[in-house]
Each structure stands twice: as C-alpha cells, then as structure tokens.
Amino acid sequence: MSLLEVRNLRVTFDTETGPVQAVRGVSFSLGRERLGIVGESGSGKTMTGRAVLRLIRPPGRIEAEAMTFDGQDILNMPEREMRALRGKRIGMVMQDPKYSLNPVMTVGRQLTEGLRLRDRLGRADAVAKAIAALEAVQIRDPHRVMDAYPHELSGGMGQRVMIAMMLIPEPDLLIADEPTSALDVTVQAEVLSILDGLVRDRGMGLIFISHDLRLVARFCDRVLVMHKGLVVEEIAAANLLAAKHPYTQGLLNCLPRIGGPRGPLPVLDRTGV
Amino acid sequence: MTSLPSPAPDRQFTRLLGQIGYGLAALAITLLGLMLVTFLIGRVVPTDPVLSIVGERATPAQIAAIREKLGLDLPLWQQFFIYVRDAVQGDLGNSIRTGKSVTSEIARYFPATLELATLGTIFGTLVGVPAGVLAATRPGSLADQIVRVVGLMGYSMPVFWLGLIGLLVFYGQLDWVSGPGRLDPTYDMMMEFTLTTYTGMILIDAALNGAWDVFGNAVSHIILPAGLLGYVSMAYISRMTRSFMMNELGQEYITTARVKGMPEWRVIWVHAMKNVLVPLITVIALSYAYLLEGSVLTETIFAWPGLGSYITDALFANDMPAVLGGTVVVGVVFVTLNMASDILYRLVDPRARI
Ligand SMILES: Nc1ncnc2c1ncn2[C@@H]1O[C@H](COP(=O)(O)OP(=O)(O)OP(=O)(O)O)[C@@H](O)[C@H]1O
Ligand SMILES: [Mg+2]
C-alpha cells in the first residue's frame, strides 16, 4: 500500500477578479521513495505540497477526489486529527527560510517547542535533541545557533535549521520545498545523503520539490513535471534527462551545459503544451 | 563555514551605554526646545503678568519694582536661562492666581490624571487587544463586525457627549456609580486629614493605608471616567491590533508553526502575538501619552482635578507660569513614554538590538 495517495487535487484561490486555479487536477501516489516535483516558477509545486498538509489558507481552497495518507482519509479528517499528523508524521521543509522562521523567537525555541509541547520533554532533553539535529545537518557551532535569531543566520544556515526542525520528529513523510537551493555543493551533498538515509533506512517517503532538473534526475526515483497547475509528465528519474515530452525538453534545453557552447540560453517554448 | 558573527561582550556594553547616552541627550534637547517654545509664547502673548499682580491703579514705580522682582527687566535670553536653571532644580515659578509654587500644585494635580489615564489604558489594552485578535482571526464574521462598529463609535462619538450620557445613565438613573469628583466630600476629608499620602493616587494611597471604605468610594468615582477613556483607547488599540494581527497571520512563519502541528492558540498568541507586540507597544504608549496629556473634556465633565483642568484653568486666568509649568510636565511625560516604548521595542524585537 502506498504511503500517500492523491487523486485529482485542485487548489483554487477566489480572488476579486475571479477564481485562480493554482493546481488543476494533480494525481500521484508515493511509496517509501523519493519523488521529485519540478516545474517553472508558479507552476503549483508549493501549493501541491501544502495541500497535502491542508495548509492552504483562505481565500484558497482544496478539492480532490481522494487524498489518503497511510490509509487514512486526510481530505475529510477533522482538523484535530490532522494537526496530530502535522509535524509528527508529515513534515514540510518550507521554501524560503528567510520568511519561514519566526523573526522574534530564537532558533532554539523554534526547534524545541514541538518536543516540549507535544512530546512533553523536559528542557534539557529537548535541547539535547535539537542540538543533535543541528549537528546532523552539518552545523558546527549548534549552541550558538540555538541562541541566535533568524536574521542572524545566513540563507544556507537558515535552510539547514529548517531541515533540522522538520526532521526532529522523525516524520514518515517529508515534503521538502527547495531544501538545498542556498547550500554550497558539499553541504548539499551531506544534506541529500541524510535525506537518502532516512528514505532507505526508515522507509520515509520524500517529496522533493526543486528547480534543479539535474539534481532531481540524480537524486530522486521518480519525477513529476508540473506546468500551469498540471502534471504534464511522470517519468523515472533516470530517464528525465532524455525526456520526450516537449515541455520537459524545453526545461532541459534551458539548462546551461558545462563545456557546451556559450551562446545565448534558449527560451522556454510554452506553445507546445 | 558555519560560524556566526557576534560582537565581543565589552563592545556590546559600550554600545548600550552609547544608546542610553544618546537617549538622554535627545531627551534634554527635546525638553529644551519645548521649554523655549512655550517660554516664548508666554512672553509674546499680550498680557502683562505685572498688571495682574499689582492691579490697574499701580504707580509706575510700583510696576517697575515688580518687574524687577520677577526678572522681567532682564534680556529675554537671560530670562530663559534663569527659567531653565530653576526648572532643572524643580522650580517652575509661582502661580499668578494663587501665589503658590507651580511645582507643588502640579504635584497635586498630576497624580489624578496619572491614576485616570493608567486605569483607562489598562482597560483599553485588556479589552482592545483580545477584541482585535478575535476580529483578525475571524475576518468578516459577526464578532469582527461588532468589534469594528464598537471601535468606530469610540472614534467618532464626542467624548463629552458619551461622558454626559454615561453620567446620566449610570449615576443619575441607575445610581450604580458615584458622580463627579474623585471622592465623596466626607471621604475627601478623611483622605486629607487622617491618611498618609504616598503617591497622590487615591486608589493606591487608600490601599496602602488599608482604608478600604475610601478605596471603594474612589473606585465608584473613577470607574465611569476611566471606563470612558478606556473605551476611547480601546477603539484605537483594537483597530490597530486587528490590522497588525491580520498582517502577521499572513506571514510564512505562521504556516511553519502550523506545519509543526502547533495548536491554533499557540500560533496566534505566541507566534503571531510576539510579532504584533513590536508595533503594538508604540500604539499603546501613544494612546497612554494621549490620555496623560490630560483629557480636558473628560476632566471637565467629571470635575476631575487633573493636569488637563489645571492647564485649562490657568490659561483662562492668564496664569502663564502655571501654563508653562503644565506644558513642560506634559512634554516630560511624552518624551519619557517615547523613550520607554523605544526600550521596550528593543526588548521585543531582536532585529532592533543591532
Ligand atoms: N493567495 C493567492 N492568490 C491567488 N493566487 C495565488 C495565491 N497564492 C498562490 N497563487 C498562485 O498559485 C500558483 C502556484 O504557486 P506555487 O507557489 O505553488 O508555485 P511554485 O511552483 O511553488 O513556484 P516557485 O518555484 O516560484 O516556488 C501561482 O501561479 C500563484 O499565482
Ligand atoms: Mg514554491
């Protein structure tokens, strides 16, 4: 049985100028594997991820034929039960750590609040767990980071704090929205290998949202290619770089090639979709 | 690779000292400017303080003698210098009406205003903040509409009208509260002759003396004017809280807190509220300052012997030293509150701490 099952998911925003459809009928299923979602900016990747957690805020609304997590109907589940899943069994690494961390709370308090409130851990235990989580994402001076405020962190460090925060409860499903975009190559490799380890050893399911087609091709098992709120292609990651679909090919053509000719970059051709 | 810049502790301390010094310098300059303006206004108004002392039929020699005694024959800058020098030592001159020292008079009037404004601000905050939060978390709901309408009324209805209606209903008709003044005359005598004065604020002094009958009487007097001022400040505070809260609830970190499975009360009252507090502190301080400057109309309707009444009465009596002194006190209050809110702001917002 798959971990997550999404059928015909739609996310609509009722704006003053009429409804805007951010996600227009997305279906996929996820096992204990690494599923990539790629697509240009505004194609609905983030909204798809948030809809799974039912965290689209008004005026946005979620509709779907079915949405199940581990056999439970998360589409019609009461908010109370949904909240029990969030942060414990399903986590989400938010896209932009600069805006996604509370600016007036220390990193330490943000890391430990779930442990203290939900798991009723004592202060010392919670802090020890948080520090271990920071060390796992390659932060060398975790004590100082614990006392820091978000504005004192670099983009890459904020991103690692965010990842640590979401990994602390050891979720069964992690939605990671551009989790490594601000990391340098070596740290990125470390973080990816942590995620990889969690999928392989603990059987976590991973939705990996990214702009970086090469990275997704290398790291994921399967890939959804999104365009204007629709999945235009679902493909094994190994075959991504040889994709036949015109939109995917268009995305691929926009990648600069190392050692390739240095002409102007081709422009994405959207007419074929 | 992952180290964090952090200024050395001694440098942080120096910076803190610098900030305090800067604040005090700003305070001094602001007050000096305020005094200069009020002083000049006091000197250019076409009333002769000498005349109001000696009367119309004084001889030129008598007038000259008084002028000299008051220092009015000196050049203006010298007069100002003397005024500032005395003011720094707590001497704001003598009232022309009563001949008593302005400082001691203000020391009697100001606590009445302080007591009223503080209670009003506490009311306004205790009701306004939850009301604003309630409205912000359910935009468009009935609760939101009610908060909006009640707030709008506080904005648009004249204070004196509300005050009179309040007196008419709660004092005149229902007899739930006591009428104008701070105490009934009998309790006033008790307060004056048998109890020790600590602060000049009756509620506090009566409690410190253990005189609970006086305390109760003072409560029944202050509840209506404080409720009125509280309503006005509630209207402002709830409206601002609503808009600050709406803004914070739209931020990404709120979604993060929900992703972590935090309950809604914590998302609102901890995550969002800590951010709302940053601008809200200034709003509350401003509304407090506004009430402290002496809400003249309220003080008049309720015969409340506060700073607002004091300055108004002094103005009508051409009592320039008293007007000047009252204005300086208002200025000190305003600047002090500003500084206090600045310090609080730094405490709640780590980004402002540099
Ligand atoms: N509050 C809103 N009102 C109207 N439309 C919205 C709102 N929020 C998002 N959208 C729409 O939803 C669409 C999908 O947005 P989404 O954030 O999922 O894109 P994305 O694929 O994550 O892009 P990026 O790569 O830039 O993060 C966007 O085109 C946007 O116009
Ligand atoms: Mg996105």
Side-chain angles (χ1 to χ4, degrees), chain B residues 324-340:
Chain B
L324 221 64
T327 314
V328 168
V329 169
V330 167
V332 172
V333 165
F334 197 82
V335 175
T336 310
L337 266 178
N338 241 319
M339 262 181 74

Side-chain angles (χ1 to χ4, degrees), chain A residues 50 55 57 83 86-87 99-100 102-103 109-110 113 117-118 140-141 144 149 151-152 160 165, chain B residues 1-4 249-253 255-256 258-262 266 271 274-275 348 350-351:
Chain A
R50 282 191 190 184
L55 283 178
R57 51 168 84 111
R83 198 155 51 223
R86 286 188 205 123
Y99 300 107
S100 308
N102 192 325
R109 281 200 59 193
Q110 298 186 59
E113 72 173 339
L117 241 82
R118 182 199 286 264
R140 301 273 156 73
D141 44 4
R144 206 196 276 171
Y149 286 94
H151 74 279
E152 297 169 311
R160 276 177 283 170
M165 191 155 81
Chain B
M1 169 177 63
T2 60
S3 63
L4 220 57
L249 288 177
Q251 303 296 318
E252 286 290 89
Y253 70 83
T255 303
T256 308
R258 292 192 177 128
V259 167
K260 286 196 282 183
M262 287 298 124
R266 191 172 166 86
H271 281 271
K274 271 175 166 277
N275 287 275
V348 296
R351 288 160 297 187

Side-chain angles (χ1 to χ4, degrees), chain A residues 13 15 20 22 39-48 59 95 178 211:
Chain A
F13 288 90
T15 64
V20 174
E40 63 185 305
S41 202
S43 55
K45 307 183 295 292
T46 298
M47 291 305 147
T48 303
Q95 183 163 4
E178 308 261 7
H211 270 111

Side-chain angles (χ1 to χ4, degrees), chain B residues 119-131 230 233-234 237 280 284 287:
Chain B
L119 216 57
T121 303
I122 291 173
F123 278 172
T125 307
L126 287 186
V127 180
V129 172
S233 95
M234 182 276 275
I237 290 173
L280 194 59
I284 293 175
S287 115

Side-chain angles (χ1 to χ4, degrees), chain B residues 33-307:
Chain B
L34 182 79
M35 276 186 186
L36 183 61
V37 172
T38 22
F39 179 83
L40 287 178
I41 292 174
R43 286 299 179 269
V44 297
V45 288
T47 64
D48 191 343
V50 178
L51 222 59
S52 46
I53 294 175
V54 296
E56 306 257 333
R57 255 167 286 166
T59 62
Q62 278 174 313
I63 291 177
I66 297 285
R67 280 186 73 85
E68 203 170 324
K69 186 164 162 267
L70 291 177
L72 293 174
D73 54 334
L74 299 171
L76 214 51
W77 67 267
Q78 219 166 334
Q79 290 183 35
F80 181 62
F81 177 79
I82 291 170
Y83 184 75
V84 171
R85 192 194 59 199
D86 291 348
V88 167
Q89 293 163 350
D91 177 8
L92 293 167
N94 288 338
S95 161
I96 289 173
R97 272 174 308 167
T98 62
K100 288 192 200 142
S101 122
V102 170
T103 311
S104 71
E105 285 191 332
I106 288 177
R108 276 197 311 121
Y109 280 84
F110 185 61
T113 295
L114 186 62
E115 191 169 37
L116 190 58
T118 306
L119 216 57
T121 303
I122 291 173
F123 278 172
T125 307
L126 287 186
V127 180
V129 172
V133 170
L134 183 76
T137 50
R138 294 169 186 75
S141 69
L142 183 65
D144 183 23
Q145 307 286 357
I146 291 173
V147 169
R148 279 245 288 280
V149 170
V150 170
L152 208 67
M153 274 164 42
Y155 255 69
S156 45
M157 277 210 249
V159 171
F160 71 89
W161 188 79
L162 278 178
L164 287 176
I165 296 287
L167 269 178
L168 195 71
V169 173
F170 296 108
Y171 171 60
Q173 296 291 316
L174 298 170
D175 203 20
W176 287 356
V177 301
S178 301
R182 297 176 79 187
L183 284 172
D184 290 353
T186 41
Y187 290 111
D188 212 10
M189 306 267 277
M190 253 176 96
M191 193 77 215
E192 187 110 2
F193 297 113
T194 64
L195 303 184
T196 324
T197 302
Y198 298 100
T199 61
M201 288 179 272
I202 293 178
L203 290 178
I204 293 176
D205 286 353
L208 287 177
N209 279 288
W212 297 109
D213 47 345
V214 178
F215 184 85
N217 188 251
V219 167
S220 81
H221 273 274
I222 203 171
I223 196 110
L224 204 54
L228 179 65
L229 292 186
Y231 180 45
V232 173
S233 95
M234 182 276 275
Y236 179 48
I237 290 173
S238 69
R239 210 175 74 141
M240 297 313 275
T241 303
R242 181 184 185 274
S243 95
F244 294 150
M245 186 50 101
M246 295 269 274
N247 179 45
E248 292 305 329
L249 288 177
Q251 303 296 318
E252 286 290 89
Y253 70 83
I254 293 295
T255 303
T256 308
R258 292 192 177 128
V259 167
K260 286 196 282 183
M262 287 298 124
E264 206 54 23
W265 64 264
R266 191 172 166 86
V267 171
I268 292 163
W269 287 100
V270 178
H271 281 271
M273 201 59 195
K274 271 175 166 277
N275 287 275
V276 167
L277 270 184
V278 175
L280 194 59
I281 282 173
T282 311
V283 163
I284 293 175
L286 264 179
S287 115
Y288 190 33
Y290 174 71
L291 298 191
L292 271 179
E293 281 166 27
S295 339
V296 178
L297 286 173
T298 313
E299 294 189 352
T300 308
I301 294 163
F302 291 94
W304 201 261
L307 194 60

Side-chain angles (χ1 to χ4, degrees), chain A residues 117-133:
Chain A
L117 241 82
R118 182 199 286 264
D119 303 335
R120 310 229 165 267
L121 249 56
R123 216 187 106 73
D125 291 346
V127 168
K129 272 202 156 188
I131 286 183

